[in-house]
Amino acid sequence: MQKKYQGQPTITLNNGVAIPSLGFGVWQMENLTQCEEAVINAIKLGYRMIDTASIYLNEVAVGKAIQNCGVHRDELFITSKLWVQDHGYENAKGAFQRTLERLQLDYLDMYLIHWPFGDFLDAWKALEELYNEGKIKAIGVCNFTVEKLEVLKANADILPVINQIELHPIFQQKELQIYHRENNIITQPWSPLGNGNKSLLETESLKKIASKYDKTVAQIILRWHLQEGFCVIPKSVTLSRIEENFNVFNFELTEEEMNVVRSLDTGKRLFFDPKDPEWEQKMLNSRADI
């Protein structure tokens, strides 16, 4: 039976599971009390997809919010992610169980491999088994390049439903978008507003569009993501911003306005490059207490 999300727009993944097209991310929410409060506020405002990760060290807070939000678990879509230090078959199985315990859940709606480093192939085998056992409703990846997706595709029994990547108007990864569409993988942007990039939010062409619809530039950018067919996860701990980010379903950009946003692509990342060997080594050598 397919879940209901208060009539919200959903995207159907390649395994038939529906996911809300707009969710709530908790990256960098290190204050656990603040994180729990933000998630509860988001759910009360209508968000039904919550995205966390073991490396964020806030799964416990998200779990408490799920228990205390007043919305039934079956009405929520909960995602977490496997950290690179837990790659490998047995490690991934153990890490998944610890994530469930921290979240106080008996299944996840989606579980993602966070970075394409180390033994991600054996980790994927573990995720496939957990999926087949019904403990995860959908499995996917984050930060995978076309090359790493091809490696996974050649060795996997189940293709990822989603690739969560850095994507915002400044860095649109158009080649990767095309690959996703050709392989029925949904694009899920992280940091969809460019981490609050000031120059982006002050772009005159976007301010003009925002004025037309009586919206903020951030709302115009989120609407662009949605109309591109992306599954987007903005984040904020500020109640007014959480509400603002969700209020993007009552207007529609024209194709000309969509092209204005598309034209802002610089091809330059604001964050970490999965093709950078130094970043890969740093990730493989890092360890949070998870």
Side-chain angles (χ1 to χ4, degrees):
M1 183 178 176
Q2 202 62 271
K3 288 189 176 186
K4 306 293 184 183
Y5 298 109
Q6 290 191 330
Q8 292 176 36
T10 60
I11 294 172
T12 301
L13 303 174
N14 63 31
N15 66 345
V17 168
I19 181 174
S21 57
L22 178 66
F24 186 70
V26 298
W27 179 41
Q28 296 177 320
M29 293 190 191
E30 298 174 357
N31 182 313
L32 298 188
T33 301
Q34 189 178 56
C35 178
E36 180 183 350
E37 182 180 352
V39 173
I40 288 175
N41 285 334
I43 293 171
K44 285 182 177 179
L45 286 167
Y47 291 83
R48 291 296 178 263
M49 172 175 48
I50 308 298
D51 179 278
T52 185
S54 60
I55 194 64
Y56 300 169
L57 301 180
N58 56 23
E59 288 175 315
V60 169
V62 171
K64 288 181 179 178
I66 293 168
Q67 299 299 318
N68 298 321
C69 68
V71 172
H72 197 276
R73 165 69 181 101
D74 288 348
E75 298 176 42
L76 301 173
F77 191 104
I78 308 300
T79 299
S80 195
K81 309 179 193 76
L82 179 74
W83 188 238
V84 293
Q85 290 290 330
D86 289 316
H87 284 183
Y89 177 81
E90 293 295 343
N91 287 345
K93 285 285 191 80
F96 173 74
Q97 189 57 41
R98 293 193 296 276
T99 278
L100 283 188
E101 290 168 2
R102 287 191 291 266
L103 288 167
Q104 302 180 63
L105 300 177
D106 54 12
Y107 74 94
L108 282 183
D109 294 279
M110 190 161 67
Y111 197 44
L112 309 176
I113 290 182
H114 210 149
W115 286 91
F117 304 145
D119 187 8
F120 65 83
L121 288 178
D122 278 343
W124 187 255
K125 291 298 180 186
L127 267 61
E128 288 180 330
E129 284 192 15
L130 292 164
Y131 170 78
N132 287 328
E133 292 167 2
K135 295 178 181 177
I136 310 169
K137 304 304 180 185
I139 55 176
V141 296
C142 308
N143 304 302
F144 272 55
T145 61
V146 169
E147 294 78 12
K148 291 296 177 72
L149 285 168
E150 280 290 291
V151 170
L152 185 60
K153 185 178 175 182
N155 291 276
D157 294 324
I158 301 171
L159 291 180
V161 297
I162 263 178
N163 188 16
Q164 189 182 115
I165 57 174
E166 178 186 350
L167 196 155
H168 39 74
I170 295 171
F171 185 64
Q172 295 181 29
Q173 303 221 57
K174 290 175 181 175
E175 179 186 352
L176 192 50
Q177 285 188 44
I178 292 169
Y179 181 92
H180 288 168
R181 285 194 291 270
E182 289 175 346
N183 289 273
N184 203 14
I185 298 169
I186 297 299
T187 301
Q188 185 170 52
W190 57 259
S191 202
L193 301 175
N195 206 33
N197 182 275
K198 187 174 181 181
S199 61
L200 172 61
L201 296 178
E202 292 295 324
T203 302
E204 285 301 323
S205 59
L206 296 185
K207 289 167 74 173
K208 184 177 179 181
I209 297 171
S211 177
K212 171 186 170 182
Y213 293 103
D214 193 24
K215 295 291 183 180
T216 65
V217 170
Q219 288 172 314
I220 296 303
I221 294 171
L222 291 174
R223 184 68 210 178
W224 170 79
H225 281 289
L226 293 172
Q227 289 183 218
E228 290 285 31
F230 304 151
C231 179
V232 66
I233 43 172
K235 67 178 180 65
S236 179
V237 296
T238 305
L239 181 59
S240 61
R241 288 282 175 81
I242 296 171
E243 185 172 13
E244 175 188 317
N245 289 343
F246 197 69
N247 187 20
V248 291
F249 297 117
N250 59 353
F251 72 105
E252 188 169 329
L253 301 176
T254 67
E255 187 64 17
E256 181 180 354
E257 290 162 346
M258 292 289 288
N259 284 330
V260 169
V261 185
R262 292 171 184 141
S263 72
L264 300 176
D265 188 17
T266 66
K268 295 180 180 178
R269 293 179 181 275
L270 297 179
F271 299 98
F272 329 105
D273 187 351
K275 293 184 178 181
D276 181 353
E278 289 188 13
W279 175 246
E280 178 173 359
Q281 200 56 49
K282 182 179 179 181
M283 289 294 93
L284 291 170
N285 290 334
S286 69
R287 182 70 192 185
D289 184 17
I290 57 176

